[in-house]
PDB file of all heavy atoms in Angstrom:
ATOM      1  N   ASP A  41     -36.377 -18.501-110.110  1.00 96.00           N
ATOM      2  CA  ASP A  41     -36.518 -17.766-108.857  1.00 96.00           C
ATOM      3  C   ASP A  41     -35.329 -17.992-107.939  1.00 96.00           C
ATOM      4  O   ASP A  41     -34.996 -17.137-107.116  1.00 96.00           O
ATOM      5  CB  ASP A  41     -37.798 -18.181-108.122  1.00 96.00           C
ATOM      6  CG  ASP A  41     -39.040 -17.726-108.865  1.00 96.00           C
ATOM      7  OD1 ASP A  41     -39.323 -18.299-109.934  1.00 96.00           O
ATOM      8  OD2 ASP A  41     -39.712 -16.794-108.386  1.00 96.00           O
ATOM      9  N   ALA A  43     -31.436 -20.571-107.497  1.00 96.00           N
ATOM     10  CA  ALA A  43     -30.521 -21.573-108.029  1.00 96.00           C
ATOM     11  C   ALA A  43     -30.615 -22.839-107.177  1.00 96.00           C
ATOM     12  O   ALA A  43     -31.109 -22.808-106.054  1.00 96.00           O
ATOM     13  CB  ALA A  43     -29.088 -21.041-108.009  1.00 96.00           C
ATOM     14  N   LEU A  45     -28.039 -25.959-105.915  1.00 96.00           N
ATOM     15  CA  LEU A  45     -26.651 -26.415-105.844  1.00 96.00           C
ATOM     16  C   LEU A  45     -26.577 -27.803-105.246  1.00 96.00           C
ATOM     17  O   LEU A  45     -27.321 -28.096-104.304  1.00 96.00           O
ATOM     18  CB  LEU A  45     -25.840 -25.504-104.913  1.00 96.00           C
ATOM     19  CG  LEU A  45     -25.336 -24.171-105.418  1.00 96.00           C
ATOM     20  CD1 LEU A  45     -24.387 -24.369-106.568  1.00 96.00           C
ATOM     21  CD2 LEU A  45     -26.488 -23.265-105.785  1.00 96.00           C
ATOM     22  N   ALA A  47     -25.160 -30.424-102.754  1.00 95.00           N
ATOM     23  CA  ALA A  47     -24.537 -30.416-101.428  1.00 95.00           C
ATOM     24  C   ALA A  47     -24.326 -31.876-101.054  1.00 95.00           C
ATOM     25  O   ALA A  47     -24.986 -32.417-100.171  1.00 95.00           O
ATOM     26  CB  ALA A  47     -25.425 -29.710-100.409  1.00 95.00           C
ATOM     27  N   GLY A  50     -24.210 -33.392 -97.543  1.00 95.00           N
ATOM     28  CA  GLY A  50     -25.323 -33.230 -96.614  1.00 95.00           C
ATOM     29  C   GLY A  50     -25.312 -31.968 -95.781  1.00 95.00           C
ATOM     30  O   GLY A  50     -26.124 -31.808 -94.867  1.00 95.00           O
ATOM     31  N   VAL A  52     -24.112 -27.457 -96.014  1.00 97.00           N
ATOM     32  CA  VAL A  52     -23.616 -26.378 -96.853  1.00 97.00           C
ATOM     33  C   VAL A  52     -23.074 -25.277 -95.946  1.00 97.00           C
ATOM     34  O   VAL A  52     -23.652 -24.968 -94.905  1.00 97.00           O
ATOM     35  CB  VAL A  52     -24.716 -25.866 -97.807  1.00 97.00           C
ATOM     36  CG1 VAL A  52     -25.887 -25.280 -97.039  1.00 97.00           C
ATOM     37  CG2 VAL A  52     -24.174 -24.832 -98.780  1.00 97.00           C
ATOM     38  N   ALA A  54     -22.185 -21.304 -95.551  1.00 98.00           N
ATOM     39  CA  ALA A  54     -22.747 -20.097 -96.147  1.00 98.00           C
ATOM     40  C   ALA A  54     -22.242 -18.865 -95.408  1.00 98.00           C
ATOM     41  O   ALA A  54     -22.222 -18.832 -94.178  1.00 98.00           O
ATOM     42  CB  ALA A  54     -24.269 -20.140 -96.086  1.00 98.00           C
ATOM     43  N   THR A  55     -21.854 -17.849 -96.189  1.00 98.00           N
ATOM     44  CA  THR A  55     -21.346 -16.614 -95.598  1.00 98.00           C
ATOM     45  C   THR A  55     -21.673 -15.453 -96.520  1.00 98.00           C
ATOM     46  O   THR A  55     -21.880 -15.645 -97.722  1.00 98.00           O
ATOM     47  CB  THR A  55     -19.826 -16.715 -95.390  1.00 98.00           C
ATOM     48  OG1 THR A  55     -19.366 -15.533 -94.731  1.00 98.00           O
ATOM     49  CG2 THR A  55     -19.094 -16.857 -96.709  1.00 98.00           C
ATOM     50  N   THR A  58     -20.129  -7.668 -97.793  1.00 97.00           N
ATOM     51  CA  THR A  58     -20.550  -6.598 -98.691  1.00 97.00           C
ATOM     52  C   THR A  58     -19.435  -5.587 -98.884  1.00 97.00           C
ATOM     53  O   THR A  58     -18.753  -5.228 -97.930  1.00 97.00           O
ATOM     54  CB  THR A  58     -21.765  -5.872 -98.079  1.00 97.00           C
ATOM     55  OG1 THR A  58     -22.774  -6.835 -97.794  1.00 97.00           O
ATOM     56  CG2 THR A  58     -22.327  -4.832 -99.027  1.00 97.00           C
ATOM     57  N   ARG A 105     -27.591   4.747-111.454  1.00 94.00           N
ATOM     58  CA  ARG A 105     -28.049   4.723-112.846  1.00 94.00           C
ATOM     59  C   ARG A 105     -27.104   5.416-113.809  1.00 94.00           C
ATOM     60  O   ARG A 105     -27.241   5.256-115.014  1.00 94.00           O
ATOM     61  CB  ARG A 105     -29.459   5.303-112.926  1.00 94.00           C
ATOM     62  CG  ARG A 105     -30.449   4.322-112.316  1.00 94.00           C
ATOM     63  CD  ARG A 105     -31.852   4.710-112.607  1.00 94.00           C
ATOM     64  NE  ARG A 105     -32.187   5.955-111.919  1.00 94.00           N
ATOM     65  CZ  ARG A 105     -33.423   6.408-111.794  1.00 94.00           C
ATOM     66  NH1 ARG A 105     -34.416   5.736-112.305  1.00 94.00           N
ATOM     67  NH2 ARG A 105     -33.658   7.523-111.154  1.00 94.00           N
ATOM     68  N   ASP A 136     -29.032 -10.604-107.880  1.00 95.00           N
ATOM     69  CA  ASP A 136     -30.119  -9.642-107.880  1.00 95.00           C
ATOM     70  C   ASP A 136     -29.530  -8.315-108.330  1.00 95.00           C
ATOM     71  O   ASP A 136     -28.382  -8.003-108.035  1.00 95.00           O
ATOM     72  CB  ASP A 136     -30.705  -9.514-106.468  1.00 95.00           C
ATOM     73  CG  ASP A 136     -31.817  -8.507-106.408  1.00 95.00           C
ATOM     74  OD1 ASP A 136     -32.718  -8.566-107.272  1.00 95.00           O
ATOM     75  OD2 ASP A 136     -31.808  -7.653-105.504  1.00 95.00           O
ATOM     76  N   LEU A 137     -30.332  -7.567-109.070  1.00 95.00           N
ATOM     77  CA  LEU A 137     -29.872  -6.303-109.636  1.00 95.00           C
ATOM     78  C   LEU A 137     -30.878  -5.239-109.265  1.00 95.00           C
ATOM     79  O   LEU A 137     -32.068  -5.380-109.565  1.00 95.00           O
ATOM     80  CB  LEU A 137     -29.791  -6.472-111.154  1.00 95.00           C
ATOM     81  CG  LEU A 137     -29.219  -5.344-111.972  1.00 95.00           C
ATOM     82  CD1 LEU A 137     -27.764  -5.069-111.615  1.00 95.00           C
ATOM     83  CD2 LEU A 137     -29.316  -5.717-113.459  1.00 95.00           C
ATOM     84  N   THR A 148     -22.902 -13.538-101.381  1.00 98.00           N
ATOM     85  CA  THR A 148     -23.012 -14.709-100.527  1.00 98.00           C
ATOM     86  C   THR A 148     -22.214 -15.831-101.170  1.00 98.00           C
ATOM     87  O   THR A 148     -22.336 -16.060-102.374  1.00 98.00           O
ATOM     88  CB  THR A 148     -24.472 -15.139-100.360  1.00 98.00           C
ATOM     89  OG1 THR A 148     -25.189 -14.093 -99.718  1.00 98.00           O
ATOM     90  CG2 THR A 148     -24.585 -16.411 -99.525  1.00 98.00           C
ATOM     91  N   ASP A 238     -10.185 -16.440 -91.289  1.00 97.00           N
ATOM     92  CA  ASP A 238      -9.428 -15.592 -92.207  1.00 97.00           C
ATOM     93  C   ASP A 238      -9.161 -14.260 -91.533  1.00 97.00           C
ATOM     94  O   ASP A 238      -9.927 -13.810 -90.671  1.00 97.00           O
ATOM     95  CB  ASP A 238     -10.114 -15.456 -93.574  1.00 97.00           C
ATOM     96  CG  ASP A 238     -11.075 -14.300 -93.658  1.00 97.00           C
ATOM     97  OD1 ASP A 238     -11.916 -14.181 -92.748  1.00 97.00           O
ATOM     98  OD2 ASP A 238     -11.006 -13.528 -94.622  1.00 97.00           O
ATOM     99  N   TYR A 323     -17.663   1.568 -88.334  1.00 59.00           N
ATOM    100  CA  TYR A 323     -18.601   2.448 -87.629  1.00 59.00           C
ATOM    101  C   TYR A 323     -17.900   3.663 -87.059  1.00 59.00           C
ATOM    102  O   TYR A 323     -18.477   4.714 -86.916  1.00 59.00           O
ATOM    103  CB  TYR A 323     -19.333   1.685 -86.522  1.00 59.00           C
ATOM    104  CG  TYR A 323     -20.379   0.844 -87.128  1.00 59.00           C
ATOM    105  CD1 TYR A 323     -20.066  -0.410 -87.611  1.00 59.00           C
ATOM    106  CD2 TYR A 323     -21.645   1.358 -87.346  1.00 59.00           C
ATOM    107  CE1 TYR A 323     -21.011  -1.158 -88.257  1.00 59.00           C
ATOM    108  CE2 TYR A 323     -22.592   0.601 -87.990  1.00 59.00           C
ATOM    109  CZ  TYR A 323     -22.267  -0.644 -88.449  1.00 59.00           C
ATOM    110  OH  TYR A 323     -23.203  -1.356 -89.107  1.00 59.00           O
ATOM    111  N   TRP A 326     -14.588   5.096 -90.829  1.00 69.00           N
ATOM    112  CA  TRP A 326     -14.782   5.596 -92.187  1.00 69.00           C
ATOM    113  C   TRP A 326     -14.909   7.119 -92.158  1.00 69.00           C
ATOM    114  O   TRP A 326     -15.648   7.673 -91.342  1.00 69.00           O
ATOM    115  CB  TRP A 326     -16.024   4.947 -92.801  1.00 69.00           C
ATOM    116  CG  TRP A 326     -16.302   5.420 -94.198  1.00 69.00           C
ATOM    117  CD1 TRP A 326     -15.411   5.650 -95.189  1.00 69.00           C
ATOM    118  CD2 TRP A 326     -17.594   5.736 -94.734  1.00 69.00           C
ATOM    119  NE1 TRP A 326     -16.051   6.085 -96.324  1.00 69.00           N
ATOM    120  CE2 TRP A 326     -17.391   6.140 -96.072  1.00 69.00           C
ATOM    121  CE3 TRP A 326     -18.885   5.698 -94.225  1.00 69.00           C
ATOM    122  CZ2 TRP A 326     -18.442   6.518 -96.902  1.00 69.00           C
ATOM    123  CZ3 TRP A 326     -19.937   6.073 -95.055  1.00 69.00           C
ATOM    124  CH2 TRP A 326     -19.718   6.475 -96.379  1.00 69.00           C
TER     125      TRP A 326
ATOM    126  N   ASP B  41     -16.587 -17.554 -89.256  1.00 96.00           N
ATOM    127  CA  ASP B  41     -16.433 -16.968 -90.591  1.00 96.00           C
ATOM    128  C   ASP B  41     -17.634 -17.261 -91.478  1.00 96.00           C
ATOM    129  O   ASP B  41     -17.940 -16.498 -92.389  1.00 96.00           O
ATOM    130  CB  ASP B  41     -15.163 -17.505 -91.271  1.00 96.00           C
ATOM    131  CG  ASP B  41     -13.906 -16.991 -90.588  1.00 96.00           C
ATOM    132  OD1 ASP B  41     -13.640 -17.437 -89.471  1.00 96.00           O
ATOM    133  OD2 ASP B  41     -13.227 -16.144 -91.177  1.00 96.00           O
ATOM    134  N   ALA B  43     -21.602 -19.768 -91.614  1.00 96.00           N
ATOM    135  CA  ALA B  43     -22.542 -20.689 -90.984  1.00 96.00           C
ATOM    136  C   ALA B  43     -22.478 -22.044 -91.685  1.00 96.00           C
ATOM    137  O   ALA B  43     -21.982 -22.147 -92.810  1.00 96.00           O
ATOM    138  CB  ALA B  43     -23.954 -20.122 -91.068  1.00 96.00           C
ATOM    139  N   LEU B  45     -25.123 -25.212 -92.569  1.00 96.00           N
ATOM    140  CA  LEU B  45     -26.524 -25.646 -92.583  1.00 96.00           C
ATOM    141  C   LEU B  45     -26.632 -27.090 -93.019  1.00 96.00           C
ATOM    142  O   LEU B  45     -25.884 -27.516 -93.903  1.00 96.00           O
ATOM    143  CB  LEU B  45     -27.321 -24.833 -93.621  1.00 96.00           C
ATOM    144  CG  LEU B  45     -27.791 -23.431 -93.279  1.00 96.00           C
ATOM    145  CD1 LEU B  45     -28.707 -23.463 -92.077  1.00 96.00           C
ATOM    146  CD2 LEU B  45     -26.612 -22.515 -93.032  1.00 96.00           C
ATOM    147  N   ALA B  47     -28.118 -29.946 -95.184  1.00 95.00           N
ATOM    148  CA  ALA B  47     -28.734 -30.078 -96.511  1.00 95.00           C
ATOM    149  C   ALA B  47     -29.003 -31.565 -96.707  1.00 95.00           C
ATOM    150  O   ALA B  47     -28.363 -32.220 -97.530  1.00 95.00           O
ATOM    151  CB  ALA B  47     -27.815 -29.525 -97.588  1.00 95.00           C
ATOM    152  N   GLY B  50     -29.154 -33.464-100.009  1.00 95.00           N
ATOM    153  CA  GLY B  50     -28.028 -33.442-100.937  1.00 95.00           C
ATOM    154  C   GLY B  50     -28.010 -32.293-101.918  1.00 95.00           C
ATOM    155  O   GLY B  50     -27.200 -32.265-102.837  1.00 95.00           O
ATOM    156  N   VAL B  52     -29.109 -27.759-102.227  1.00 97.00           N
ATOM    157  CA  VAL B  52     -29.571 -26.571-101.527  1.00 97.00           C
ATOM    158  C   VAL B  52     -30.085 -25.573-102.557  1.00 97.00           C
ATOM    159  O   VAL B  52     -29.498 -25.408-103.631  1.00 97.00           O
ATOM    160  CB  VAL B  52     -28.451 -25.970-100.645  1.00 97.00           C
ATOM    161  CG1 VAL B  52     -27.268 -25.526-101.478  1.00 97.00           C
ATOM    162  CG2 VAL B  52     -28.966 -24.838 -99.784  1.00 97.00           C
ATOM    163  N   ALA B  54     -30.877 -21.647-103.405  1.00 98.00           N
ATOM    164  CA  ALA B  54     -30.286 -20.389-102.956  1.00 98.00           C
ATOM    165  C   ALA B  54     -30.751 -19.237-103.833  1.00 98.00           C
ATOM    166  O   ALA B  54     -30.768 -19.345-105.058  1.00 98.00           O
ATOM    167  CB  ALA B  54     -28.758 -20.483-102.998  1.00 98.00           C
ATOM    168  N   THR B  58     -32.577  -7.796-102.772  1.00 97.00           N
ATOM    169  CA  THR B  58     -32.128  -6.634-102.011  1.00 97.00           C
ATOM    170  C   THR B  58     -33.212  -5.573-101.947  1.00 97.00           C
ATOM    171  O   THR B  58     -33.889  -5.324-102.933  1.00 97.00           O
ATOM    172  CB  THR B  58     -30.883  -6.035-102.707  1.00 97.00           C
ATOM    173  OG1 THR B  58     -29.917  -7.052-102.860  1.00 97.00           O
ATOM    174  CG2 THR B  58     -30.308  -4.890-101.895  1.00 97.00           C
ATOM    175  N   ARG B 105     -24.743   5.915 -90.648  1.00 94.00           N
ATOM    176  CA  ARG B 105     -24.285   6.029 -89.261  1.00 94.00           C
ATOM    177  C   ARG B 105     -25.215   6.860 -88.385  1.00 94.00           C
ATOM    178  O   ARG B 105     -25.072   6.831 -87.166  1.00 94.00           O
ATOM    179  CB  ARG B 105     -22.864   6.591 -89.245  1.00 94.00           C
ATOM    180  CG  ARG B 105     -21.892   5.523 -89.720  1.00 94.00           C
ATOM    181  CD  ARG B 105     -20.477   5.926 -89.466  1.00 94.00           C
ATOM    182  NE  ARG B 105     -20.122   7.064 -90.318  1.00 94.00           N
ATOM    183  CZ  ARG B 105     -18.874   7.493 -90.473  1.00 94.00           C
ATOM    184  NH1 ARG B 105     -17.893   6.870 -89.855  1.00 94.00           N
ATOM    185  NH2 ARG B 105     -18.607   8.510 -91.239  1.00 94.00           N
ATOM    186  N   ASP B 136     -23.763  -9.773 -92.391  1.00 95.00           N
ATOM    187  CA  ASP B 136     -22.649  -8.846 -92.507  1.00 95.00           C
ATOM    188  C   ASP B 136     -23.195  -7.466 -92.212  1.00 95.00           C
ATOM    189  O   ASP B 136     -24.333  -7.143 -92.548  1.00 95.00           O
ATOM    190  CB  ASP B 136     -22.062  -8.900 -93.924  1.00 95.00           C
ATOM    191  CG  ASP B 136     -20.912  -7.930 -94.110  1.00 95.00           C
ATOM    192  OD1 ASP B 136     -20.017  -7.920 -93.253  1.00 95.00           O
ATOM    193  OD2 ASP B 136     -20.912  -7.182 -95.094  1.00 95.00           O
ATOM    194  N   LEU B 137     -22.366  -6.654 -91.564  1.00 95.00           N
ATOM    195  CA  LEU B 137     -22.788  -5.324 -91.149  1.00 95.00           C
ATOM    196  C   LEU B 137     -21.751  -4.343 -91.644  1.00 95.00           C
ATOM    197  O   LEU B 137     -20.567  -4.471 -91.318  1.00 95.00           O
ATOM    198  CB  LEU B 137     -22.875  -5.307 -89.620  1.00 95.00           C
ATOM    199  CG  LEU B 137     -23.412  -4.073 -88.936  1.00 95.00           C
ATOM    200  CD1 LEU B 137     -24.856  -3.820 -89.339  1.00 95.00           C
ATOM    201  CD2 LEU B 137     -23.338  -4.269 -87.421  1.00 95.00           C
ATOM    202  N   THR B 148     -29.957 -13.271 -98.515  1.00 98.00           N
ATOM    203  CA  THR B 148     -29.877 -14.536 -99.232  1.00 98.00           C
ATOM    204  C   THR B 148     -30.701 -15.559 -98.468  1.00 98.00           C
ATOM    205  O   THR B 148     -30.585 -15.652 -97.243  1.00 98.00           O
ATOM    206  CB  THR B 148     -28.423 -15.019 -99.340  1.00 98.00           C
ATOM    207  OG1 THR B 148     -27.682 -14.069-100.103  1.00 98.00           O
ATOM    208  CG2 THR B 148     -28.350 -16.381-100.011  1.00 98.00           C
ATOM    209  N   ASP B 238     -42.738 -17.002-108.221  1.00 97.00           N
ATOM    210  CA  ASP B 238     -43.475 -16.030-107.422  1.00 97.00           C
ATOM    211  C   ASP B 238     -43.695 -14.773-108.255  1.00 97.00           C
ATOM    212  O   ASP B 238     -42.920 -14.453-109.154  1.00 97.00           O
ATOM    213  CB  ASP B 238     -42.785 -15.746-106.083  1.00 97.00           C
ATOM    214  CG  ASP B 238     -41.798 -14.606-106.126  1.00 97.00           C
ATOM    215  OD1 ASP B 238     -40.967 -14.609-107.043  1.00 97.00           O
ATOM    216  OD2 ASP B 238     -41.860 -13.729-105.255  1.00 97.00           O
ATOM    217  N   TYR B 323     -34.780   0.388-113.299  1.00 58.00           N
ATOM    218  CA  TYR B 323     -33.831   1.161-114.100  1.00 58.00           C
ATOM    219  C   TYR B 323     -34.509   2.314-114.805  1.00 58.00           C
ATOM    220  O   TYR B 323     -33.910   3.333-115.072  1.00 58.00           O
ATOM    221  CB  TYR B 323     -33.139   0.251-115.116  1.00 58.00           C
ATOM    222  CG  TYR B 323     -32.110  -0.548-114.413  1.00 58.00           C
ATOM    223  CD1 TYR B 323     -32.450  -1.724-113.785  1.00 58.00           C
ATOM    224  CD2 TYR B 323     -30.822  -0.065-114.287  1.00 58.00           C
ATOM    225  CE1 TYR B 323     -31.517  -2.422-113.066  1.00 58.00           C
ATOM    226  CE2 TYR B 323     -29.892  -0.763-113.573  1.00 58.00           C
ATOM    227  CZ  TYR B 323     -30.241  -1.929-112.970  1.00 58.00           C
ATOM    228  OH  TYR B 323     -29.319  -2.600-112.243  1.00 58.00           O
ATOM    229  N   TRP B 326     -37.762   4.268-111.205  1.00 68.00           N
ATOM    230  CA  TRP B 326     -37.549   4.915-109.915  1.00 68.00           C
ATOM    231  C   TRP B 326     -37.359   6.410-110.126  1.00 68.00           C
ATOM    232  O   TRP B 326     -36.599   6.840-110.983  1.00 68.00           O
ATOM    233  CB  TRP B 326     -36.345   4.300-109.216  1.00 68.00           C
ATOM    234  CG  TRP B 326     -36.027   4.929-107.894  1.00 68.00           C
ATOM    235  CD1 TRP B 326     -36.906   5.325-106.925  1.00 68.00           C
ATOM    236  CD2 TRP B 326     -34.716   5.251-107.393  1.00 68.00           C
ATOM    237  NE1 TRP B 326     -36.233   5.852-105.850  1.00 68.00           N
ATOM    238  CE2 TRP B 326     -34.894   5.823-106.106  1.00 68.00           C
ATOM    239  CE3 TRP B 326     -33.441   5.097-107.886  1.00 68.00           C
ATOM    240  CZ2 TRP B 326     -33.818   6.247-105.326  1.00 68.00           C
ATOM    241  CZ3 TRP B 326     -32.376   5.515-107.101  1.00 68.00           C
ATOM    242  CH2 TRP B 326     -32.563   6.077-105.835  1.00 68.00           C
TER     243      TRP B 326
END
Side-chain angles (χ1 to χ4, degrees):
Chain A
D41 292 71
L45 280 298
V52 63
T55 184
T58 305
R105 288 191 293 193
D136 179 48
L137 185 62
T148 297
D238 90 311
Y323 283 85
W326 179 41
Chain B
D41 291 71
L45 281 300
V52 62
T58 306
R105 287 191 292 192
D136 179 48
L137 185 62
T148 297
D238 90 311
Y323 283 85
W326 178 41

